[in-house]
Amino acid sequence: MIETLEHTTFDVKEIRQQFPVLNRLVKGKPLVYFDNAATAQKPKVVIDALTEYYEKYNANIHRGIHSLAEEATAAYEATRDTVQQFINAQHREEIIFTRGVTESINLVAYTYGRTNLKSGDEIIISGMEHHSNIVPWQLIAEMTGAKLRVIPVDDNGELIMEEYYKLLSEKTKIVSIVHASNSLGTINPVKEIIDSAHKAGAVVLVDGAQSTVHLDIDVQELDCDFFAISSHKVYGPTGIGVLYGKKHLLEAMPPFMGGGEMIKDVSFEKTTWNDLPYKFEAGTPNIADTVALKAAIDFINSIGKIAARKHEDALLQYATEQLETVDAVRLIGRAKHKVSVASFVVEGVHPQDLGILLDNQGVAVRTGHHCTQPLMNRLGIPGTTRASFAMYNTKEEINVMIAALNKAIRLLK
Amino acid sequence: MSQEVKSIAETEEEIVEEFSLFDSWDEKYEYIIDMGKKLKPLDDVFKKDENKIKGCQSTVWMVSELQGDKVIYKAESDAVIVKGLVSMLIRVLSNHTPQEIIEAKLDFVDRIGMKQHLAQTRSNGLLSMVKQMKLDATVYLAQLSTKN
Ligand SMILES: Cc1ncc(COP(=O)(O)O)c(C=O)c1O
């Protein structure tokens, strides 16, 4: 259990040593990496897992009977088991490997959505969704005649839940909602959202892109129907992700892509589908990155999510306090429950200018709309500067950012 | 008013020399920001969509016209560093013939260490602006050659 690992021994110095990239200089200054919500850096164990796979047992999986193929298959399938435990799924075949959250959402939209939606049905999303949880639904709505409804966001960056309850009806077929906002950090009350959607007869997809690295995820307790994860945001490699789906739903869904692996028997008259999870894993999968994803999850488990979260929360609180001392800074997103994302604007300063000058001082932040344009429109701003923290970040780094920020503002104003 | 106009290469050289005075990146950016702040704002009537060169984060508006055989550029951006870079591009290219503009290498951007701002990843509209400046010059060149 993760809980038992909640140690008093959380040692950020020791953790930093496991991330080779943190040793590098940017523009002659030590890197301060605060773009973790975009992608997290990789610990040595993940990099090693990739190399080891290619050096020692690269083979195509599930087919060959030679030793390498057996080892590769075992490693690939071991990741499925690890993911299953990581999010407490009931069955291992409920874990489908995809390229990431984007593909996971598209998979559900194009299979479950396309077969279950008809004209007049409604899909509910929220006003703080990433474009990847908007556009696939728009495409499917177009195809099926279903309508997209949007839960509004208040000035603090929280969902207006009363409006959600008003939107819910027997027409609602799918609710697809972000667990934690990448732009503001807001943690949404997904459990409530799921329970009331189920009462209305709808299924719920949770976009776990930002939440999985910070929060304990228990898909059975949440009772979500689908849950989407990107490996690169949980210290794993890019190009791999997960779709969790309830078994009975996945079984009833048609395949997403056709090809090898996903079939049982192929003839020109009739082709039958393979069993779960393979029905949704057409073609040679991304074996190396899948294998290395296990190393990433093992790494997180070895630190303990609770210990990491405590550290990250302290960083967020410190950053928030420090940012408030900077003249002209306005924090964007003041939700009660947040993951470690500090978004802000500086009055009279273009975020891009800020981004350039911070980069020049070795500080990597994200500026812009963060792929959430409707949210930025709602908040009446073109974009924000976003600092997002991971377990390897420190208060000293926040001090560096604040100093860099003060200097940048001095130059720009 | 036959004021001596510097060639594109001469202006590029001049800018490179100005930047060689700076020891640190901070000073370089300070200088660019200063130029950005000093760039004459574009008249609001020109700030319409057809003059917009949209980047992912910042926007550049640019207009050009032919005066005699020279192209005159005016531009602005909502981000001040981009504006500074824009102001240098105008200083280098404006008031030259289409042929000279088309042939301009613009390697000063690289030599002052600002090449990254013309890279695809920055997607700030600056690269598109250079392309647009050259495209306009090409159109004027065609106009001039049909006149002659
Ligand atoms: C909230 C959220 N949803 C979806 C995505 C898309 O994830 P990916 O690009 O890994 O598919 C992201 C990534 O930025 C995100 O932050």
Side-chain angles (χ1 to χ4, degrees), chain A residues 99-169:
Chain A
R99 280 192 299 127
V101 168
T102 304
E103 185 176 308
S104 296
I105 296 174
N106 275 279
L107 191 160
V108 175
Y110 280 88
T111 59
Y112 186 89
R114 210 169 54 179
T115 45
N116 288 288
L117 291 168
K118 56 182 191 314
S119 178
D121 286 346
E122 293 182 352
I123 306 158
I124 297 181
I125 59 171
S126 88
M128 65 173 86
E129 298 309 319
H130 188 278
H131 294 163
S132 65
N133 197 24
I134 302 174
V135 185
W137 301 115
Q138 286 175 324
L139 290 167
I140 290 304
E142 184 110 327
M143 272 179 216
T144 58
K147 271 207 358 240
L148 203 58
R149 308 298 299 265
V150 182
I151 311 168
V153 176
D154 71 14
D155 292 338
N156 287 329
E158 293 184 328
L159 294 181
I160 305 177
M161 290 296 282
E162 304 84 79
E163 297 298 322
Y164 167 59
Y165 298 129
K166 278 188 220 158
L167 287 175
L168 270 179
S169 75

Side-chain angles (χ1 to χ4, degrees), chain A residues 23-215:
Chain A
N23 294 321
R24 71 160 281 183
L25 301 178
V26 169
K27 308 278 163 75
K29 315 231 167 53
L31 166 68
V32 172
Y33 187 78
F34 284 166
D35 196 15
N36 296 287
T39 199
Q41 296 300 343
K42 318 304 172 202
K44 188 75 168 44
V45 283
V46 168
I47 301 164
D48 288 347
L50 283 171
T51 322
E52 192 176 288
Y53 167 76
Y54 284 121
E55 284 183 354
K56 301 208 174 125
Y57 57 98
N58 168 52
N60 211 329
I61 53 169
H62 295 142
R63 291 167 241 198
I65 49 155
H66 53 78
S67 300
L68 266 56
E70 254 172 43
E71 287 172 30
T73 305
Y76 179 86
E77 290 301 333
T79 302
R80 205 183 307 275
D81 296 329
T82 300
V83 172
Q84 182 199 347
Q85 287 154 21
F86 192 55
I87 63 173
N88 194 30
Q90 194 177 355
H91 308 283
R92 70 185 309 278
E93 61 270 30
E94 293 179 321
I95 306 300
I96 314 285
F97 292 120
T98 63
R99 280 192 299 127
V101 168
T102 304
E103 185 176 308
S104 296
I105 296 174
N106 275 279
L107 191 160
V108 175
Y110 280 88
T111 59
Y112 186 89
R114 210 169 54 179
T115 45
N116 288 288
L117 291 168
K118 56 182 191 314
S119 178
D121 286 346
E122 293 182 352
I123 306 158
I124 297 181
I125 59 171
S126 88
M128 65 173 86
E129 298 309 319
H130 188 278
H131 294 163
S132 65
N133 197 24
I134 302 174
V135 185
W137 301 115
Q138 286 175 324
L139 290 167
I140 290 304
E142 184 110 327
M143 272 179 216
T144 58
K147 271 207 358 240
L148 203 58
R149 308 298 299 265
V150 182
I151 311 168
V153 176
D154 71 14
D155 292 338
N156 287 329
E158 293 184 328
L159 294 181
I160 305 177
M161 290 296 282
E162 304 84 79
E163 297 298 322
Y164 167 59
Y165 298 129
K166 278 188 220 158
L167 287 175
L168 270 179
S169 75
E170 70 284 352
K171 289 190 210 151
T172 313
K173 292 295 172 325
I174 300 171
V175 176
S176 192
I177 202 88
V178 70
H179 197 174
S181 156
N182 61 310
S183 302
L184 308 177
T186 312
I187 300 171
N188 288 317
V190 283
K191 180 68 186 147
E192 280 172 65
I193 290 171
I194 292 162
D195 289 346
S196 33
H198 284 167
K199 284 195 193 107
V203 299
V204 181
L205 183 153
V206 175
D207 170 354
Q210 296 296 331
S211 60
T212 307
V213 73
H214 301 294
L215 311 178

Side-chain angles (χ1 to χ4, degrees), chain A residues 27 350-353 356-357 359-361 367-369 407 411-413, chain B residues 25-26 29-30 33 37 57-58 78-82 116-117 122 124:
Chain A
K27 308 278 163 75
H350 196 288
Q352 183 183 300
D353 289 325
I356 292 172
L357 293 183
D359 172 62
N360 204 43
Q361 300 174 77
T367 61
H369 53 60
K407 188 165 163 184
L411 284 177
L412 290 165
K413 284 211 139 185
Chain B
W25 281 97
D26 290 351
Y29 274 108
E30 215 173 326
I33 290 165
K37 285 177 181 166
Q57 295 196 16
S58 55
D78 53 353
V80 72
I81 293 174
V82 173
Q116 68 196 77
H117 295 294
R122 287 288 177 177
N124 54 17

